[in-house]
Coordinates of all heavy atoms in Angstrom, one line a residue:
V244 N 13.8 23.1 -11.6 CA 12.4 22.6 -11.5 C 12.3 21.6 -10.4 O 13.2 20.7 -10.3 CB 12.0 22.0 -12.9 CG1 10.7 21.3 -12.9 CG2 12.2 23.0 -14.0
S245 N 11.2 21.6 -9.6 CA 10.9 20.7 -8.6 C 9.5 20.2 -8.9 O 8.6 20.9 -8.7 CB 11.0 21.3 -7.2 OG 10.7 20.3 -6.2
G246 N 9.4 18.9 -9.2 CA 8.1 18.4 -9.6 C 7.6 19.0 -10.9 O 8.3 18.9 -11.9
N247 N 6.5 19.7 -10.8 CA 6.0 20.4 -12.0 C 6.0 22.0 -11.8 O 5.3 22.7 -12.4 CB 4.6 19.9 -12.4 CG 3.6 20.2 -11.3 OD1 4.0 20.6 -10.2 ND2 2.3 20.0 -11.6
R248 N 6.9 22.4 -10.9 CA 7.0 23.9 -10.7 C 8.5 24.4 -10.9 O 9.4 23.7 -10.6 CB 6.7 24.1 -9.2 CG 5.2 24.0 -8.9 CD 4.8 24.6 -7.6 NE 5.2 25.9 -7.3 CZ 4.7 27.0 -7.8 NH1 3.6 27.0 -8.5 NH2 5.2 28.2 -7.4
I249 N 8.5 25.6 -11.4 CA 9.8 26.3 -11.5 C 10.1 26.9 -10.1 O 9.2 27.6 -9.6 CB 9.8 27.4 -12.5 CG1 9.4 26.8 -13.9 CG2 11.1 28.2 -12.6 CD1 9.1 27.8 -15.0
V250 N 11.2 26.6 -9.5 CA 11.5 27.1 -8.2 C 12.6 28.2 -8.2 O 12.8 28.9 -7.2 CB 11.9 26.0 -7.2 CG1 10.7 25.1 -6.9 CG2 13.1 25.2 -7.6
E251 N 13.3 28.3 -9.3 CA 14.3 29.3 -9.4 C 14.7 29.5 -10.9 O 14.6 28.6 -11.7 CB 15.6 28.8 -8.6 CG 16.7 29.9 -8.6 CD 17.9 29.4 -7.7 OE1 18.0 28.2 -7.3 OE2 18.8 30.2 -7.6
A252 N 15.1 30.7 -11.2 CA 15.6 31.0 -12.5 C 16.9 31.8 -12.4 O 17.1 32.6 -11.5 CB 14.6 31.9 -13.3
V253 N 17.9 31.5 -13.3 CA 19.2 32.1 -13.2 C 19.6 32.4 -14.7 O 19.6 31.6 -15.5 CB 20.2 31.2 -12.6 CG1 21.6 31.8 -12.6 CG2 19.8 30.8 -11.2
A254 N 20.1 33.7 -14.9 CA 20.6 34.1 -16.2 C 22.1 33.6 -16.2 O 22.9 34.1 -15.4 CB 20.5 35.6 -16.4
L255 N 22.4 32.7 -17.0 CA 23.8 32.2 -17.1 C 24.7 33.2 -17.9 O 25.9 33.3 -17.6 CB 23.9 30.8 -17.8 CG 23.2 29.7 -17.0 CD1 23.3 28.4 -17.9 CD2 23.7 29.5 -15.7
S256 N 24.1 33.9 -18.8 CA 24.8 34.8 -19.6 C 23.9 36.0 -20.0 O 22.8 35.8 -20.5 CB 25.3 34.1 -20.9 OG 26.0 35.0 -21.7
L257 N 24.4 37.2 -19.8 CA 23.7 38.4 -20.2 C 24.7 39.4 -20.8 O 25.9 39.2 -20.5 CB 23.1 39.1 -19.0 CG 21.8 38.4 -18.4 CD1 21.4 39.1 -17.1 CD2 20.7 38.4 -19.3
P258 N 24.3 40.3 -21.7 CA 25.2 41.2 -22.3 C 26.0 42.0 -21.2 O 25.4 42.3 -20.1 CB 24.3 42.2 -23.1 CG 23.1 41.4 -23.4 CD 22.9 40.5 -22.2
S259 N 27.2 42.3 -21.5 CA 28.0 43.1 -20.5 C 28.8 44.2 -21.2 O 28.9 44.2 -22.4 CB 29.0 42.2 -19.8 OG 29.8 41.5 -20.7
G260 N 29.3 45.1 -20.4 CA 30.1 46.2 -20.9 C 29.2 47.5 -21.1 O 28.2 47.5 -21.7
G261 N 29.7 48.5 -20.5 CA 29.1 49.8 -20.6 C 27.7 49.9 -20.0 O 27.4 49.4 -18.9
E262 N 26.8 50.4 -20.8 CA 25.4 50.5 -20.4 C 24.7 49.2 -20.3 O 23.7 49.0 -19.6 CB 24.6 51.5 -21.4 CG 23.9 52.6 -20.6 CD 23.2 53.5 -21.6 OE1 23.9 54.4 -22.1 OE2 22.0 53.3 -21.8
S263 N 25.2 48.2 -21.0 CA 24.6 46.8 -21.0 C 24.7 46.3 -19.6 O 23.8 45.5 -19.2 CB 25.3 45.9 -22.0 OG 25.0 46.3 -23.3
D264 N 25.7 46.6 -18.8 CA 25.8 46.1 -17.5 C 24.6 46.6 -16.6 O 24.1 45.8 -15.8 CB 27.1 46.6 -16.8 CG 28.3 45.8 -17.3 OD1 28.2 44.7 -17.8 OD2 29.4 46.3 -17.2
I265 N 24.3 47.8 -16.8 CA 23.1 48.4 -16.0 C 21.8 47.7 -16.4 O 21.1 47.2 -15.5 CB 23.0 49.9 -16.2 CG1 24.3 50.6 -15.7 CG2 21.8 50.4 -15.6 CD1 24.4 52.0 -16.1
H266 N 21.6 47.6 -17.7 CA 20.3 47.0 -18.2 C 20.3 45.5 -17.8 O 19.2 44.9 -17.5 CB 20.1 47.2 -19.7 CG 20.0 48.7 -20.0 ND1 19.1 49.5 -19.5 CD2 20.7 49.5 -20.8 CE1 19.2 50.7 -19.9 NE2 20.2 50.7 -20.8
S267 N 21.4 44.8 -18.0 CA 21.4 43.4 -17.6 C 21.2 43.2 -16.1 O 20.5 42.2 -15.7 CB 22.8 42.7 -18.0 OG 22.9 42.7 -19.4
G268 N 21.7 44.1 -15.3 CA 21.4 44.0 -13.9 C 19.9 44.2 -13.6 O 19.4 43.5 -12.7
D269 N 19.3 45.1 -14.3 CA 17.8 45.3 -14.1 C 17.0 44.0 -14.5 O 16.1 43.7 -13.8 CB 17.3 46.5 -15.0 CG 17.9 47.8 -14.5 OD1 18.3 47.9 -13.3 OD2 17.9 48.8 -15.3
V270 N 17.5 43.4 -15.6 CA 16.8 42.1 -16.1 C 17.0 41.1 -15.0 O 16.1 40.4 -14.6 CB 17.4 41.7 -17.5 CG1 16.9 40.3 -17.8 CG2 16.9 42.7 -18.5
R271 N 18.2 40.9 -14.5 CA 18.5 39.9 -13.5 C 17.7 40.1 -12.3 O 17.2 39.2 -11.7 CB 20.0 39.9 -13.2 CG 20.5 38.8 -12.4 CD 22.0 38.9 -12.1 NE 22.9 39.2 -13.2 CZ 23.4 38.3 -14.0 NH1 23.3 37.0 -13.7 NH2 24.2 38.6 -15.0
N272 N 17.6 41.4 -11.8 CA 16.9 41.7 -10.6 C 15.4 41.4 -10.7 O 14.8 41.0 -9.8 CB 17.1 43.2 -10.2 CG 18.5 43.4 -9.7 OD1 19.2 42.5 -9.3 ND2 18.9 44.7 -9.8
R273 N 14.8 41.6 -11.9 CA 13.4 41.4 -12.1 C 13.0 39.9 -12.3 O 12.0 39.5 -11.8 CB 13.0 42.2 -13.4 CG 11.6 41.9 -13.9 CD 10.4 42.7 -13.4 NE 10.5 44.1 -13.5 CZ 10.1 44.9 -14.6 NH1 9.5 44.3 -15.6 NH2 10.2 46.2 -14.5
Y274 N 13.9 39.2 -13.1 CA 13.5 37.8 -13.5 C 14.1 36.7 -12.6 O 13.5 35.7 -12.4 CB 13.9 37.6 -14.9 CG 13.2 38.5 -15.9 CD1 13.9 38.8 -17.1 CD2 12.0 39.0 -15.8 CE1 13.3 39.6 -18.1 CE2 11.4 39.8 -16.7 CZ 12.1 40.1 -17.9 OH 11.5 40.9 -18.8
D275 N 15.4 36.9 -12.2 CA 16.1 35.8 -11.5 C 15.7 35.5 -10.1 O 15.0 36.3 -9.5 CB 17.6 36.1 -11.6 CG 18.3 35.8 -12.9 OD1 17.6 35.4 -13.8 OD2 19.5 36.0 -13.0
G276 N 16.2 34.4 -9.6 CA 16.0 34.0 -8.2 C 14.8 33.2 -7.9 O 14.0 32.9 -8.8
S277 N 14.6 32.9 -6.6 CA 13.5 32.1 -6.3 C 12.2 33.0 -6.0 O 11.1 32.5 -5.8 CB 13.8 31.3 -5.0 OG 14.2 32.1 -4.0
G278 N 12.4 34.3 -6.0 CA 11.3 35.2 -5.8 C 11.1 36.1 -7.0 O 10.3 37.0 -6.9
G279 N 11.8 35.8 -8.1 CA 11.6 36.6 -9.3 C 10.3 36.4 -10.0 O 9.5 35.5 -9.7
E280 N 10.2 37.2 -11.1 CA 8.9 37.1 -11.9 C 8.7 35.7 -12.6 O 7.6 35.3 -12.7 CB 9.0 38.2 -13.0 CG 7.6 38.5 -13.5 CD 7.7 39.7 -14.4 OE1 8.3 40.7 -14.1 OE2 7.0 39.7 -15.5
V281 N 9.8 35.0 -12.9 CA 9.7 33.7 -13.5 C 9.0 32.8 -12.6 O 8.1 32.0 -13.0 CB 11.1 33.2 -13.9 CG1 11.0 31.8 -14.5 CG2 11.7 34.1 -15.0
V282 N 9.4 32.7 -11.3 CA 8.9 31.8 -10.3 C 7.4 32.2 -10.0 O 6.5 31.4 -9.8 CB 9.7 31.7 -9.1 CG1 9.1 30.9 -8.0 CG2 11.1 31.2 -9.4
Q283 N 7.2 33.5 -10.0 CA 5.8 34.0 -9.6 C 4.8 33.6 -10.7 O 3.7 33.2 -10.5 CB 5.9 35.5 -9.4 CG 6.6 35.9 -8.2 CD 6.7 37.5 -8.1 OE1 6.2 38.2 -9.0 NE2 7.5 37.9 -7.1
K284 N 5.2 33.8 -12.0 CA 4.3 33.6 -13.1 C 4.3 32.1 -13.6 O 3.4 31.7 -14.3 CB 4.6 34.5 -14.3 CG 4.3 35.9 -13.9 CD 4.3 36.8 -15.2 CE 3.8 38.2 -14.8 NZ 3.6 39.0 -16.0

Side-chain angles (χ1 to χ4, degrees):
V244 177
S245 178
N247 62 353
R248 289 193 48 82
I249 301 170
V250 294
E251 187 178 6
V253 177
L255 297 178
S256 179
L257 289 173
S259 60
E262 231 177 277
S263 292
D264 286 339
I265 296 170
H266 297 303
S267 292
D269 292 341
V270 169
R271 189 182 312 267
N272 290 339
R273 166 93 52 94
Y274 300 150
D275 280 4
S277 57
E280 197 172 320
V281 173
V282 174
Q283 291 172 5
K284 291 194 173 185

